[in-house]
Amino acid sequence: MVLTDELKRRAEKALDKPPRYGLDLEISKFTPDYTGLEAESLRDLSERLINIVKSIGLDTGEKSVLGSYLQVDQRVAYSRSHEEGVKVLSLKEALKSLDWLRGLYWKAVPVDLDKFTAVAALYEEGGYVVVAEKGVKTEMPVQTCLLMKSPRSLQTTHNIVVAEEGSTLHVITGCTQAPESFGLHTGISEFYVGKNATVTFTMIHSWSRGSHIRPRTGVIVEEGGRFISNYVVLKPANTIQAYPVVRLIGKESSALTTSILLASGSSKMDIGSCIRLEAPQTSGEAVSKVVGGDSSETVVRSRIVGFMDGVRGHTECNGILVSEKAVISAIPELVAKAKDVELTHEAAIGRISEEEVFYLQARGFTEEEAVSMIVRGFLESGIVGLPKAVEEYLKKAIRETITAL
C-alpha cells in the first residue's frame, strides 16, 4: 500500500458513493485473491493459461512486442521490457524506482470519483507502468493482459502510461478470464501524453457472462500531443460501465476515441467518453460502432466540451440491430463554453439492410454468412489511424470472434 493518508481518507469516504452512470453493484459480494503466480517467461505459464491469454491475442513468444505485463487476479505474474527507452514495470516497482511518478499517481483519475475508484485504491496491489522515454518512437506495441482466474474474484489494478516529449507509444491490453471465473474488475488507468508525443491505446475485452467490469480512465495531453483510444468489446460481460475522460490541456493537442462494441446475450453496457477541449486549437473526435444482438442493452455516451475559441469536436455513433429484442441508445452531448467553437454530431441506428443480405445471398452465401460478413465489415470500418501491426491484430480478433458466433 503506497497511498498517502490524504488519498486513503478520501477513498474511505467514497466507499458508498454510487457511479454517475450505469448499474450500481454491491462490492462486498466479491473477494480479492492473492494466490501467487510468477513466471520468468510467458511460455512458463501452464498450458491452460497460455490458451486463455492466446485467445485475446497475447504473443507468448514476445516476438512482435516490445514488452509484456501479465496480472492474474491480484498478483503480478510477469512484467518485462525488451526495448531500450521503453519501461514496463509493475506499479509497485515503478513507484520505488521512479521518484517523479508519485507526482502523477492518482492525478488524472480522482480517487474519490465513486465506490469503484475507492475500492481500487484501498485494495491496490497490481497494475502496470509503461513509459516511453523522451524522443523514443516505436512501431511495435507493448502488450498487457489482465486475467481473472478465481471465482467471485475482485480484481483491482492501477495502470499508468507515460509518453515523454516527442515519443510514440502503442499499448495493447487484453482483459479476460478463466471459464469458471466470474467477478468484478475495477481498473484504474492514467495516461500522460507529453509535448508532441503520441499514445495509441487498444483495449480488447473478452469476458464471461457472469462478470462485471468498471474501468475508470483519465487522460492528460500536453501541447501537440495526440491520444488515440480503441475500446473493443467482443465478448461482453454481464455489465460494463466505462466513461474515460480526456483532457486536452496543451495547444494543438488532439484525441480520437473509438468504441467497437459487439453486444450479445443479456449483457448491459453503458460505455462512452468525454473529451475536454481546454486549450487553443485542440480537436477531439468520439466514434462508436455498435452491434446489438440477442436481448442486449447498450447505451453509448459521448460528450465534448469546448472551453476555448477555435476548438473543434465531433461525435458519431452508428449502430445496427441484429435481433428484435436488442436495444441501442445513443446519447451525444456537446457543450460550448466559448463563442467560436465547432462542435458536431451524427448518429444512425437501424437494422441490417435486406438489400445487402440479398445481394450476398445471390452470390452464393447463406443468410448467416451474409449477416456475419456485414457485421464484420461494419465493425472493422471503425478501425482507423492505427499502426499496421495493431490494425491487423484488431481485425484478426474481430474476424475470429464473428466466425465463432
Side-chain angles (χ1 to χ4, degrees), residues 10-32:
R10 287 171 55 195
E12 289 175 338
K13 197 173 178 180
L15 272 174
D16 294 322
K17 186 177 179 181
R20 182 178 181 183
Y21 300 120
L23 295 173
D24 199 0
L25 290 173
E26 189 176 332
I27 295 176
S28 61
K29 292 182 177 178
F30 306 95
T31 306

Side-chain angles (χ1 to χ4, degrees), residues 56-117:
I56 52 169
L58 201 77
D59 176 8
T60 54
E62 298 188 272
K63 293 182 178 177
S64 60
V65 297
L66 301 178
S68 304
Y69 172 90
L70 171 65
Q71 179 174 333
V72 180
D73 291 325
Q74 288 291 79
R75 292 297 193 194
V76 179
Y78 180 81
S79 64
R80 193 155 301 169
S81 171
H82 306 293
E83 181 76 6
E84 189 174 350
V86 177
K87 293 183 172 66
V88 181
L89 303 166
S90 70
L91 179 66
K92 281 187 175 180
E93 290 178 299
L95 286 171
K96 288 179 182 174
S97 60
L98 306 174
D99 291 339
W100 54 265
L101 192 65
R102 287 186 178 274
L104 304 179
Y105 181 65
W106 286 105
K107 181 181 176 184
V109 178
V111 72
D112 53 0
L113 180 67
D114 57 29
K115 61 168 65 174
F116 300 106
T117 56

